[in-house]
Amino acid sequence: MSEFDFDLTVIGSGPGGYVCAIRAAQLGLKVACVEYEETLGGTCLNVGCIPSKALLQSSEYYAHTLHDLAKHGVKVSNPTLDLPTMLKRKDEVVKGLTSGVQGLLKKNKVTWLKGRGSFVTAQKIKVTAADGQVTEHSTKNVVIATGSKPIEIPPAKFDRKLIVSSTGALKFDAVPKHLIVVGGGVIGLELGSVWMRLGAKVTVIEALPQILNGMDTELAKGLMKILEKQGMTFHLDTKLTETKTAKNQVTALCQKSDGSTVEITGDRMLVAVGRKAYTEGLGLEAIGLTLEGGGKVPVDHDYRTPVAGVYAIGDVIKGPMLAHKAEDEGVAVAELIVGQAGHVNYDAIPGVVYTWPEVASVGISEDKAKEQGLEVKVGKFPFMANGRAKAFGMTDGFVKIVADKKTDRILGAHILGPNASELIAELAVAVEFSASAEDIARSTHAHPTLAEVVKEAALAVDKRSIHI
Ligand SMILES: Cc1cc2nc3c(=O)[nH]c(=O)nc-3n(C[C@H](O)[C@H](O)[C@H](O)COP(=O)(O)OP(=O)(O)OC[C@H]3O[C@@H](n4cnc5c(N)ncnc54)[C@H](O)[C@@H]3O)c2cc1C
């Protein structure tokens, strides 16, 4: 008999936490997962990746019906929006997946401790249930996977009606007339796209000179141009300084980097300026764990915090705030705890923006390669020259591959175009396997597919694309 109630207690059931719990159970550990929300799955399943993608898909169907089907000879008279049904469907998708996670935990004999977890000691976790009942559980190891929350900024405090975070923008009960989006990052552009497709005027305010900060410049500029064509308005180099609200009206007072001012009035404002690590109520002080700069839980290469037996993964630690990064860290830390060689390759984590067209990236960008003085070759191929993209009627964008000049090894790949989110998988595997551009160029890609654009971009690295 173990001297502990659990070998491992995971605090948080997001993609980091629940995946870690399952992997640890597979490896033979007795595992508990603490979660205070009514449903499992964390931000990703409840108010993040999944509901946003459900709405992106539904709104895309609506926009295609309005604008594109007639070109294919499909005439639909007076398509109308049934927003309650669209929102209900989104909720059903979420419900199916969150109860799926509950089933997975059960199948793997992971105990769900319902309530808010906090440290009594590094090896004792207190769980406070919604009704105030407190239980304590001894545990050999703890993984903190408490995720993140939206950042609130002083000039635009969330009132959950006119000024909302991403969570509020997933459930507007009517299409805003004019949605002001503060922040031209992934979440702002995705949710801005949803409501624009459904009929809202959308204005994006971005403090930096480019949307999608950190993304390959050519991709970010290309996407912005296309979104502008779709009707989105952008104010770059523009900082929100104050917000005024009146009945059903919100006015953003902004200052541009040249000192001039802009005033924008709408009826809803989405503030999507980033997320911060969430550690409230965890009782880190009880175990003497202090946060590092930016409020993140400090960890070493093996996700160990400075407190013995306490690990952390996902949004609550450094690195990109992405569900698949959290999942892979969850698997790695479980394997490390049992003495295996868990590992995440941070150079091969893809990032996707699910706008239309989509944007996807993995590895180093052309700009970063130049900044770092790396000698690279770049191959690029447009969707315009691809048969399948023509058949789809979706020819915006390109694939760009950045390879080492001497070794031809693929260092990064960047896609703006239809189904970029799926196409990037091949290139993420290429980066993971240290493949060369030649490896991709020599691999047979089915015809006609969008994936042929990836192959042609790999050929372009050596200036030998065929179809252009
Ligand atoms: C609108 C939106 C869209 C997104 N889209 C994508 C996308 O398309 N792709 C992608 O990769 N990422 C996306 N993300 C980011 C993604 O959701 C996060 O990176 C991911 O959920 C992080 O996982 P996590 O396990 O670290 O934390 P979380 O998913 O945040 O889960 C943490 C969990 O811990 C629980 N918790 C916190 N404190 C305690 C406590 N003391 N006791 C018990 N439980 C606690 C919380 O209730 C929560 O359930 C999106 C995010 C948002 C907001």
Side-chain angles (χ1 to χ4, degrees), residues 12 14-16 35-36 42-44 48-49 53 117 146-147 275 314-315 321-324:
E35 174 60 62
Y36 63 79
T43 303
C44 170
C49 324
K53 265 80 253 178
T146 49
R275 298 178 61 83
D315 279 10
M321 286 182 162
L322 292 170
H324 43 285

mmCIF file with all atom_site columns, all heavy atoms in Angstrom, residues 12 14-16 35-36 42-44 48-49 53 117 146-147 275 314-315 321-324, ligand 1:
data_model
loop_
_atom_site.group_PDB
_atom_site.id
_atom_site.type_symbol
_atom_site.label_atom_id
_atom_site.label_alt_id
_atom_site.label_comp_id
_atom_site.label_asym_id
_atom_site.label_entity_id
_atom_site.label_seq_id
_atom_site.pdbx_PDB_ins_code
_atom_site.Cartn_x
_atom_site.Cartn_y
_atom_site.Cartn_z
_atom_site.occupancy
_atom_site.B_iso_or_equiv
_atom_site.pdbx_formal_charge
_atom_site.auth_seq_id
_atom_site.auth_comp_id
_atom_site.auth_asym_id
_atom_site.auth_atom_id
_atom_site.pdbx_PDB_model_num
ATOM   1   N N   . GLY A 1 12  ? -6.291  20.983 -12.448 1.00 0.00 ? 12  GLY A N   1
ATOM   2   C CA  . GLY A 1 12  ? -6.728  21.556 -13.721 1.00 0.00 ? 12  GLY A CA  1
ATOM   3   C C   . GLY A 1 12  ? -6.989  20.452 -14.727 1.00 0.00 ? 12  GLY A C   1
ATOM   4   O O   . GLY A 1 12  ? -6.196  19.506 -14.834 1.00 0.00 ? 12  GLY A O   1
ATOM   5   N N   . GLY A 1 14  ? -7.722  21.008 -18.142 1.00 0.00 ? 14  GLY A N   1
ATOM   6   C CA  . GLY A 1 14  ? -7.628  21.458 -19.532 1.00 0.00 ? 14  GLY A CA  1
ATOM   7   C C   . GLY A 1 14  ? -6.849  20.421 -20.339 1.00 0.00 ? 14  GLY A C   1
ATOM   8   O O   . GLY A 1 14  ? -6.525  19.337 -19.834 1.00 0.00 ? 14  GLY A O   1
ATOM   9   N N   . PRO A 1 15  ? -6.512  20.764 -21.601 1.00 0.00 ? 15  PRO A N   1
ATOM   10  C CA  . PRO A 1 15  ? -5.790  19.786 -22.427 1.00 0.00 ? 15  PRO A CA  1
ATOM   11  C C   . PRO A 1 15  ? -4.453  19.374 -21.825 1.00 0.00 ? 15  PRO A C   1
ATOM   12  O O   . PRO A 1 15  ? -3.987  18.258 -22.056 1.00 0.00 ? 15  PRO A O   1
ATOM   13  C CB  . PRO A 1 15  ? -5.595  20.515 -23.758 1.00 0.00 ? 15  PRO A CB  1
ATOM   14  C CG  . PRO A 1 15  ? -5.931  21.939 -23.515 1.00 0.00 ? 15  PRO A CG  1
ATOM   15  C CD  . PRO A 1 15  ? -6.835  21.988 -22.335 1.00 0.00 ? 15  PRO A CD  1
ATOM   16  N N   . GLY A 1 16  ? -3.831  20.259 -21.041 1.00 0.00 ? 16  GLY A N   1
ATOM   17  C CA  . GLY A 1 16  ? -2.599  19.866 -20.348 1.00 0.00 ? 16  GLY A CA  1
ATOM   18  C C   . GLY A 1 16  ? -2.927  18.875 -19.244 1.00 0.00 ? 16  GLY A C   1
ATOM   19  O O   . GLY A 1 16  ? -2.378  17.770 -19.188 1.00 0.00 ? 16  GLY A O   1
ATOM   20  N N   . GLU A 1 35  ? -10.685 19.669 -10.552 1.00 0.00 ? 35  GLU A N   1
ATOM   21  C CA  . GLU A 1 35  ? -11.285 20.676 -11.442 1.00 0.00 ? 35  GLU A CA  1
ATOM   22  C C   . GLU A 1 35  ? -12.514 21.250 -10.749 1.00 0.00 ? 35  GLU A C   1
ATOM   23  O O   . GLU A 1 35  ? -13.372 20.494 -10.285 1.00 0.00 ? 35  GLU A O   1
ATOM   24  C CB  . GLU A 1 35  ? -11.662 20.049 -12.779 1.00 0.00 ? 35  GLU A CB  1
ATOM   25  C CG  . GLU A 1 35  ? -12.427 20.964 -13.725 1.00 0.00 ? 35  GLU A CG  1
ATOM   26  C CD  . GLU A 1 35  ? -11.656 22.230 -14.102 1.00 0.00 ? 35  GLU A CD  1
ATOM   27  O OE1 . GLU A 1 35  ? -10.579 22.126 -14.699 1.00 0.00 ? 35  GLU A OE1 1
ATOM   28  O OE2 . GLU A 1 35  ? -12.140 23.340 -13.780 1.00 0.00 ? 35  GLU A OE2 1
ATOM   29  N N   . TYR A 1 36  ? -12.609 22.585 -10.706 1.00 0.00 ? 36  TYR A N   1
ATOM   30  C CA  . TYR A 1 36  ? -13.752 23.191 -10.017 1.00 0.00 ? 36  TYR A CA  1
ATOM   31  C C   . TYR A 1 36  ? -14.907 23.522 -10.948 1.00 0.00 ? 36  TYR A C   1
ATOM   32  O O   . TYR A 1 36  ? -16.046 23.710 -10.499 1.00 0.00 ? 36  TYR A O   1
ATOM   33  C CB  . TYR A 1 36  ? -13.331 24.433 -9.223  1.00 0.00 ? 36  TYR A CB  1
ATOM   34  C CG  . TYR A 1 36  ? -12.787 25.583 -10.036 1.00 0.00 ? 36  TYR A CG  1
ATOM   35  C CD1 . TYR A 1 36  ? -13.635 26.436 -10.719 1.00 0.00 ? 36  TYR A CD1 1
ATOM   36  C CD2 . TYR A 1 36  ? -11.423 25.820 -10.107 1.00 0.00 ? 36  TYR A CD2 1
ATOM   37  C CE1 . TYR A 1 36  ? -13.143 27.494 -11.464 1.00 0.00 ? 36  TYR A CE1 1
ATOM   38  C CE2 . TYR A 1 36  ? -10.918 26.883 -10.842 1.00 0.00 ? 36  TYR A CE2 1
ATOM   39  C CZ  . TYR A 1 36  ? -11.771 27.715 -11.515 1.00 0.00 ? 36  TYR A CZ  1
ATOM   40  O OH  . TYR A 1 36  ? -11.275 28.743 -12.253 1.00 0.00 ? 36  TYR A OH  1
ATOM   41  N N   . GLY A 1 42  ? -11.253 22.265 -19.557 1.00 0.00 ? 42  GLY A N   1
ATOM   42  C CA  . GLY A 1 42  ? -10.564 23.552 -19.440 1.00 0.00 ? 42  GLY A CA  1
ATOM   43  C C   . GLY A 1 42  ? -11.028 24.589 -20.441 1.00 0.00 ? 42  GLY A C   1
ATOM   44  O O   . GLY A 1 42  ? -12.114 24.508 -21.023 1.00 0.00 ? 42  GLY A O   1
ATOM   45  N N   . THR A 1 43  ? -10.165 25.572 -20.630 1.00 0.00 ? 43  THR A N   1
ATOM   46  C CA  . THR A 1 43  ? -10.449 26.670 -21.551 1.00 0.00 ? 43  THR A CA  1
ATOM   47  C C   . THR A 1 43  ? -10.719 26.130 -22.945 1.00 0.00 ? 43  THR A C   1
ATOM   48  O O   . THR A 1 43  ? -11.691 26.504 -23.608 1.00 0.00 ? 43  THR A O   1
ATOM   49  C CB  . THR A 1 43  ? -9.217  27.615 -21.614 1.00 0.00 ? 43  THR A CB  1
ATOM   50  O OG1 . THR A 1 43  ? -8.916  28.062 -20.304 1.00 0.00 ? 43  THR A OG1 1
ATOM   51  C CG2 . THR A 1 43  ? -9.471  28.792 -22.530 1.00 0.00 ? 43  THR A CG2 1
ATOM   52  N N   . CYS A 1 44  ? -9.849  25.238 -23.380 1.00 0.00 ? 44  CYS A N   1
ATOM   53  C CA  . CYS A 1 44  ? -9.885  24.743 -24.763 1.00 0.00 ? 44  CYS A CA  1
ATOM   54  C C   . CYS A 1 44  ? -11.264 24.208 -25.144 1.00 0.00 ? 44  CYS A C   1
ATOM   55  O O   . CYS A 1 44  ? -11.867 24.637 -26.120 1.00 0.00 ? 44  CYS A O   1
ATOM   56  C CB  . CYS A 1 44  ? -8.816  23.672 -24.921 1.00 0.00 ? 44  CYS A CB  1
ATOM   57  S SG  . CYS A 1 44  ? -8.907  22.764 -26.451 1.00 0.00 ? 44  CYS A SG  1
ATOM   58  N N   . GLY A 1 48  ? -12.781 27.969 -25.495 1.00 0.00 ? 48  GLY A N   1
ATOM   59  C CA  . GLY A 1 48  ? -11.619 28.299 -26.322 1.00 0.00 ? 48  GLY A CA  1
ATOM   60  C C   . GLY A 1 48  ? -11.682 27.663 -27.687 1.00 0.00 ? 48  GLY A C   1
ATOM   61  O O   . GLY A 1 48  ? -12.585 27.942 -28.491 1.00 0.00 ? 48  GLY A O   1
ATOM   62  N N   . CYS A 1 49  ? -10.719 26.778 -27.928 1.00 0.00 ? 49  CYS A N   1
ATOM   63  C CA  . CYS A 1 49  ? -10.538 26.163 -29.255 1.00 0.00 ? 49  CYS A CA  1
ATOM   64  C C   . CYS A 1 49  ? -11.845 25.637 -29.839 1.00 0.00 ? 49  CYS A C   1
ATOM   65  O O   . CYS A 1 49  ? -12.189 25.937 -30.993 1.00 0.00 ? 49  CYS A O   1
ATOM   66  C CB  . CYS A 1 49  ? -9.581  24.975 -29.178 1.00 0.00 ? 49  CYS A CB  1
ATOM   67  S SG  . CYS A 1 49  ? -8.219  25.132 -28.036 1.00 0.00 ? 49  CYS A SG  1
ATOM   68  N N   . LYS A 1 53  ? -14.054 27.231 -32.860 1.00 0.00 ? 53  LYS A N   1
ATOM   69  C CA  . LYS A 1 53  ? -14.000 26.554 -34.170 1.00 0.00 ? 53  LYS A CA  1
ATOM   70  C C   . LYS A 1 53  ? -15.392 26.146 -34.632 1.00 0.00 ? 53  LYS A C   1
ATOM   71  O O   . LYS A 1 53  ? -15.683 26.131 -35.830 1.00 0.00 ? 53  LYS A O   1
ATOM   72  C CB  . LYS A 1 53  ? -13.071 25.339 -34.118 1.00 0.00 ? 53  LYS A CB  1
ATOM   73  C CG  . LYS A 1 53  ? -11.661 25.654 -34.593 1.00 0.00 ? 53  LYS A CG  1
ATOM   74  C CD  . LYS A 1 53  ? -10.801 26.321 -33.551 1.00 0.00 ? 53  LYS A CD  1
ATOM   75  C CE  . LYS A 1 53  ? -10.513 27.757 -33.737 1.00 0.00 ? 53  LYS A CE  1
ATOM   76  N NZ  . LYS A 1 53  ? -9.710  28.346 -32.643 1.00 0.00 ? 53  LYS A NZ  1
ATOM   77  N N   . GLY A 1 117 ? -8.616  23.255 -6.082  1.00 0.00 ? 117 GLY A N   1
ATOM   78  C CA  . GLY A 1 117 ? -7.460  22.659 -5.424  1.00 0.00 ? 117 GLY A CA  1
ATOM   79  C C   . GLY A 1 117 ? -6.509  23.724 -4.917  1.00 0.00 ? 117 GLY A C   1
ATOM   80  O O   . GLY A 1 117 ? -6.286  24.742 -5.578  1.00 0.00 ? 117 GLY A O   1
ATOM   81  N N   . THR A 1 146 ? -3.178  24.740 -14.293 1.00 0.00 ? 146 THR A N   1
ATOM   82  C CA  . THR A 1 146 ? -4.331  25.611 -14.036 1.00 0.00 ? 146 THR A CA  1
ATOM   83  C C   . THR A 1 146 ? -4.577  26.638 -15.143 1.00 0.00 ? 146 THR A C   1
ATOM   84  O O   . THR A 1 146 ? -5.491  27.455 -15.025 1.00 0.00 ? 146 THR A O   1
ATOM   85  C CB  . THR A 1 146 ? -4.165  26.319 -12.681 1.00 0.00 ? 146 THR A CB  1
ATOM   86  O OG1 . THR A 1 146 ? -2.853  26.887 -12.636 1.00 0.00 ? 146 THR A OG1 1
ATOM   87  C CG2 . THR A 1 146 ? -4.321  25.356 -11.522 1.00 0.00 ? 146 THR A CG2 1
ATOM   88  N N   . GLY A 1 147 ? -3.762  26.598 -16.204 1.00 0.00 ? 147 GLY A N   1
ATOM   89  C CA  . GLY A 1 147 ? -4.085  27.347 -17.408 1.00 0.00 ? 147 GLY A CA  1
ATOM   90  C C   . GLY A 1 147 ? -3.984  28.852 -17.303 1.00 0.00 ? 147 GLY A C   1
ATOM   91  O O   . GLY A 1 147 ? -3.126  29.400 -16.596 1.00 0.00 ? 147 GLY A O   1
ATOM   92  N N   . ARG A 1 275 ? -3.595  36.542 -22.823 1.00 0.00 ? 275 ARG A N   1
ATOM   93  C CA  . ARG A 1 275 ? -4.051  35.801 -21.642 1.00 0.00 ? 275 ARG A CA  1
ATOM   94  C C   . ARG A 1 275 ? -2.924  35.740 -20.631 1.00 0.00 ? 275 ARG A C   1
ATOM   95  O O   . ARG A 1 275 ? -1.762  35.820 -20.997 1.00 0.00 ? 275 ARG A O   1
ATOM   96  C CB  . ARG A 1 275 ? -4.487  34.391 -22.064 1.00 0.00 ? 275 ARG A CB  1
ATOM   97  C CG  . ARG A 1 275 ? -5.652  34.427 -23.032 1.00 0.00 ? 275 ARG A CG  1
ATOM   98  C CD  . ARG A 1 275 ? -6.041  33.030 -23.481 1.00 0.00 ? 275 ARG A CD  1
ATOM   99  N NE  . ARG A 1 275 ? -6.458  32.168 -22.411 1.00 0.00 ? 275 ARG A NE  1
ATOM   100 C CZ  . ARG A 1 275 ? -7.686  32.141 -21.882 1.00 0.00 ? 275 ARG A CZ  1
ATOM   101 N NH1 . ARG A 1 275 ? -8.619  32.957 -22.334 1.00 0.00 ? 275 ARG A NH1 1
ATOM   102 N NH2 . ARG A 1 275 ? -7.981  31.303 -20.915 1.00 0.00 ? 275 ARG A NH2 1
ATOM   103 N N   . GLY A 1 314 ? 1.619   23.584 -19.499 1.00 0.00 ? 314 GLY A N   1
ATOM   104 C CA  . GLY A 1 314 ? 0.532   24.276 -20.200 1.00 0.00 ? 314 GLY A CA  1
ATOM   105 C C   . GLY A 1 314 ? 0.650   25.789 -20.135 1.00 0.00 ? 314 GLY A C   1
ATOM   106 O O   . GLY A 1 314 ? 1.746   26.356 -20.004 1.00 0.00 ? 314 GLY A O   1
ATOM   107 N N   . ASP A 1 315 ? -0.502  26.456 -20.212 1.00 0.00 ? 315 ASP A N   1
ATOM   108 C CA  . ASP A 1 315 ? -0.528  27.920 -20.269 1.00 0.00 ? 315 ASP A CA  1
ATOM   109 C C   . ASP A 1 315 ? 0.085   28.576 -19.038 1.00 0.00 ? 315 ASP A C   1
ATOM   110 O O   . ASP A 1 315 ? 0.474   29.740 -19.084 1.00 0.00 ? 315 ASP A O   1
ATOM   111 C CB  . ASP A 1 315 ? -1.986  28.413 -20.387 1.00 0.00 ? 315 ASP A CB  1
ATOM   112 C CG  . ASP A 1 315 ? -2.515  28.345 -21.816 1.00 0.00 ? 315 ASP A CG  1
ATOM   113 O OD1 . ASP A 1 315 ? -1.843  27.742 -22.670 1.00 0.00 ? 315 ASP A OD1 1
ATOM   114 O OD2 . ASP A 1 315 ? -3.610  28.890 -22.060 1.00 0.00 ? 315 ASP A OD2 1
ATOM   115 N N   . MET A 1 321 ? 0.854   29.783 -25.757 1.00 0.00 ? 321 MET A N   1
ATOM   116 C CA  . MET A 1 321 ? -0.368  29.331 -25.079 1.00 0.00 ? 321 MET A CA  1
ATOM   117 C C   . MET A 1 321 ? -1.225  28.594 -26.096 1.00 0.00 ? 321 MET A C   1
ATOM   118 O O   . MET A 1 321 ? -2.111  29.171 -26.725 1.00 0.00 ? 321 MET A O   1
ATOM   119 C CB  . MET A 1 321 ? -1.095  30.531 -24.486 1.00 0.00 ? 321 MET A CB  1
ATOM   120 C CG  . MET A 1 321 ? -0.396  31.065 -23.251 1.00 0.00 ? 321 MET A CG  1
ATOM   121 S SD  . MET A 1 321 ? -1.304  32.432 -22.562 1.00 0.00 ? 321 MET A SD  1
ATOM   122 C CE  . MET A 1 321 ? -0.636  32.531 -20.915 1.00 0.00 ? 321 MET A CE  1
ATOM   123 N N   . LEU A 1 322 ? -0.947  27.314 -26.255 1.00 0.00 ? 322 LEU A N   1
ATOM   124 C CA  . LEU A 1 322 ? -1.639  26.501 -27.250 1.00 0.00 ? 322 LEU A CA  1
ATOM   125 C C   . LEU A 1 322 ? -2.032  25.171 -26.633 1.00 0.00 ? 322 LEU A C   1
ATOM   126 O O   . LEU A 1 322 ? -1.272  24.602 -25.831 1.00 0.00 ? 322 LEU A O   1
ATOM   127 C CB  . LEU A 1 322 ? -0.720  26.235 -28.451 1.00 0.00 ? 322 LEU A CB  1
ATOM   128 C CG  . LEU A 1 322 ? -0.362  27.440 -29.311 1.00 0.00 ? 322 LEU A CG  1
ATOM   129 C CD1 . LEU A 1 322 ? 0.745   27.091 -30.306 1.00 0.00 ? 322 LEU A CD1 1
ATOM   130 C CD2 . LEU A 1 322 ? -1.605  27.948 -30.052 1.00 0.00 ? 322 LEU A CD2 1
ATOM   131 N N   . ALA A 1 323 ? -3.183  24.666 -27.049 1.00 0.00 ? 323 ALA A N   1
ATOM   132 C CA  . ALA A 1 323 ? -3.689  23.426 -26.468 1.00 0.00 ? 323 ALA A CA  1
ATOM   133 C C   . ALA A 1 323 ? -2.753  22.247 -26.750 1.00 0.00 ? 323 ALA A C   1
ATOM   134 O O   . ALA A 1 323 ? -2.494  21.427 -25.865 1.00 0.00 ? 323 ALA A O   1
ATOM   135 C CB  . ALA A 1 323 ? -5.078  23.138 -27.025 1.00 0.00 ? 323 ALA A CB  1
ATOM   136 N N   . HIS A 1 324 ? -2.241  22.155 -27.983 1.00 0.00 ? 324 HIS A N   1
ATOM   137 C CA  . HIS A 1 324 ? -1.402  20.991 -28.314 1.00 0.00 ? 324 HIS A CA  1
ATOM   138 C C   . HIS A 1 324 ? -0.048  21.052 -27.618 1.00 0.00 ? 324 HIS A C   1
ATOM   139 O O   . HIS A 1 324 ? 0.547   20.023 -27.328 1.00 0.00 ? 324 HIS A O   1
ATOM   140 C CB  . HIS A 1 324 ? -1.250  20.828 -29.831 1.00 0.00 ? 324 HIS A CB  1
ATOM   141 C CG  . HIS A 1 324 ? -1.014  22.100 -30.578 1.00 0.00 ? 324 HIS A CG  1
ATOM   142 N ND1 . HIS A 1 324 ? -2.000  23.026 -30.817 1.00 0.00 ? 324 HIS A ND1 1
ATOM   143 C CD2 . HIS A 1 324 ? 0.099   22.624 -31.124 1.00 0.00 ? 324 HIS A CD2 1
ATOM   144 C CE1 . HIS A 1 324 ? -1.503  24.035 -31.500 1.00 0.00 ? 324 HIS A CE1 1
ATOM   145 N NE2 . HIS A 1 324 ? -0.227  23.828 -31.680 1.00 0.00 ? 324 HIS A NE2 1
HETATM 146 C C1  . LIG B 2 .   ? -11.192 31.813 -27.702 1.00 0.00 ? 1   LIG B C1  1
HETATM 147 C C2  . LIG B 2 .   ? -9.986  30.920 -27.637 1.00 0.00 ? 1   LIG B C2  1
HETATM 148 C C3  . LIG B 2 .   ? -9.644  30.151 -28.730 1.00 0.00 ? 1   LIG B C3  1
HETATM 149 C C4  . LIG B 2 .   ? -8.542  29.311 -28.669 1.00 0.00 ? 1   LIG B C4  1
HETATM 150 N N1  . LIG B 2 .   ? -8.244  28.569 -29.771 1.00 0.00 ? 1   LIG B N1  1
HETATM 151 C C5  . LIG B 2 .   ? -7.187  27.744 -29.734 1.00 0.00 ? 1   LIG B C5  1
HETATM 152 C C6  . LIG B 2 .   ? -6.884  26.914 -30.854 1.00 0.00 ? 1   LIG B C6  1
HETATM 153 O O1  . LIG B 2 .   ? -7.593  26.923 -31.860 1.00 0.00 ? 1   LIG B O1  1
HETATM 154 N N2  . LIG B 2 .   ? -5.812  26.102 -30.773 1.00 0.00 ? 1   LIG B N2  1
HETATM 155 C C7  . LIG B 2 .   ? -5.007  26.065 -29.665 1.00 0.00 ? 1   LIG B C7  1
HETATM 156 O O2  . LIG B 2 .   ? -4.035  25.317 -29.654 1.00 0.00 ? 1   LIG B O2  1
HETATM 157 N N3  . LIG B 2 .   ? -5.273  26.840 -28.598 1.00 0.00 ? 1   LIG B N3  1
HETATM 158 C C8  . LIG B 2 .   ? -6.339  27.663 -28.598 1.00 0.00 ? 1   LIG B C8  1
HETATM 159 N N4  . LIG B 2 .   ? -6.632  28.414 -27.496 1.00 0.00 ? 1   LIG B N4  1
HETATM 160 C C9  . LIG B 2 .   ? -5.735  28.318 -26.313 1.00 0.00 ? 1   LIG B C9  1
HETATM 161 C C10 . LIG B 2 .   ? -6.032  27.052 -25.500 1.00 0.00 ? 1   LIG B C10 1
HETATM 162 O O3  . LIG B 2 .   ? -7.368  27.049 -25.096 1.00 0.00 ? 1   LIG B O3  1
HETATM 163 C C11 . LIG B 2 .   ? -5.107  26.992 -24.295 1.00 0.00 ? 1   LIG B C11 1
HETATM 164 O O4  . LIG B 2 .   ? -3.764  27.096 -24.718 1.00 0.00 ? 1   LIG B O4  1
HETATM 165 C C12 . LIG B 2 .   ? -5.268  25.676 -23.551 1.00 0.00 ? 1   LIG B C12 1
HETATM 166 O O5  . LIG B 2 .   ? -6.599  25.505 -23.102 1.00 0.00 ? 1   LIG B O5  1
HETATM 167 C C13 . LIG B 2 .   ? -4.320  25.611 -22.353 1.00 0.00 ? 1   LIG B C13 1
HETATM 168 O O6  . LIG B 2 .   ? -4.495  24.404 -21.703 1.00 0.00 ? 1   LIG B O6  1
HETATM 169 P P1  . LIG B 2 .   ? -4.159  24.221 -20.158 1.00 0.00 ? 1   LIG B P1  1
HETATM 170 O O7  . LIG B 2 .   ? -4.442  22.797 -19.862 1.00 0.00 ? 1   LIG B O7  1
HETATM 171 O O8  . LIG B 2 .   ? -2.814  24.744 -19.872 1.00 0.00 ? 1   LIG B O8  1
HETATM 172 O O9  . LIG B 2 .   ? -5.176  25.175 -19.368 1.00 0.00 ? 1   LIG B O9  1
HETATM 173 P P2  . LIG B 2 .   ? -6.735  25.434 -19.449 1.00 0.00 ? 1   LIG B P2  1
HETATM 174 O O10 . LIG B 2 .   ? -7.339  24.860 -20.655 1.00 0.00 ? 1   LIG B O10 1
HETATM 175 O O11 . LIG B 2 .   ? -6.911  26.888 -19.212 1.00 0.00 ? 1   LIG B O11 1
HETATM 176 O O12 . LIG B 2 .   ? -7.312  24.609 -18.230 1.00 0.00 ? 1   LIG B O12 1
HETATM 177 C C14 . LIG B 2 .   ? -7.041  24.923 -16.912 1.00 0.00 ? 1   LIG B C14 1
HETATM 178 C C15 . LIG B 2 .   ? -8.120  24.321 -16.044 1.00 0.00 ? 1   LIG B C15 1
HETATM 179 O O13 . LIG B 2 .   ? -7.715  24.428 -14.687 1.00 0.00 ? 1   LIG B O13 1
HETATM 180 C C16 . LIG B 2 .   ? -8.837  24.715 -13.885 1.00 0.00 ? 1   LIG B C16 1
HETATM 181 N N5  . LIG B 2 .   ? -8.338  25.292 -12.635 1.00 0.00 ? 1   LIG B N5  1
HETATM 182 C C17 . LIG B 2 .   ? -7.642  26.445 -12.473 1.00 0.00 ? 1   LIG B C17 1
HETATM 183 N N6  . LIG B 2 .   ? -7.299  26.614 -11.181 1.00 0.00 ? 1   LIG B N6  1
HETATM 184 C C18 . LIG B 2 .   ? -7.798  25.545 -10.517 1.00 0.00 ? 1   LIG B C18 1
HETATM 185 C C19 . LIG B 2 .   ? -7.769  25.137 -9.158  1.00 0.00 ? 1   LIG B C19 1
HETATM 186 N N7  . LIG B 2 .   ? -7.153  25.851 -8.235  1.00 0.00 ? 1   LIG B N7  1
HETATM 187 N N8  . LIG B 2 .   ? -8.400  23.994 -8.827  1.00 0.00 ? 1   LIG B N8  1
HETATM 188 C C20 . LIG B 2 .   ? -9.031  23.227 -9.757  1.00 0.00 ? 1   LIG B C20 1
HETATM 189 N N9  . LIG B 2 .   ? -9.070  23.556 -11.058 1.00 0.00 ? 1   LIG B N9  1
HETATM 190 C C21 . LIG B 2 .   ? -8.452  24.696 -11.427 1.00 0.00 ? 1   LIG B C21 1
HETATM 191 C C22 . LIG B 2 .   ? -9.635  25.671 -14.757 1.00 0.00 ? 1   LIG B C22 1
HETATM 192 O O14 . LIG B 2 .   ? -10.996 25.701 -14.325 1.00 0.00 ? 1   LIG B O14 1
HETATM 193 C C23 . LIG B 2 .   ? -9.447  25.044 -16.134 1.00 0.00 ? 1   LIG B C23 1
HETATM 194 O O15 . LIG B 2 .   ? -10.474 24.118 -16.392 1.00 0.00 ? 1   LIG B O15 1
HETATM 195 C C24 . LIG B 2 .   ? -7.747  29.245 -27.498 1.00 0.00 ? 1   LIG B C24 1
HETATM 196 C C25 . LIG B 2 .   ? -8.086  30.016 -26.385 1.00 0.00 ? 1   LIG B C25 1
HETATM 197 C C26 . LIG B 2 .   ? -9.205  30.828 -26.446 1.00 0.00 ? 1   LIG B C26 1
HETATM 198 C C27 . LIG B 2 .   ? -9.569  31.637 -25.232 1.00 0.00 ? 1   LIG B C27 1
#
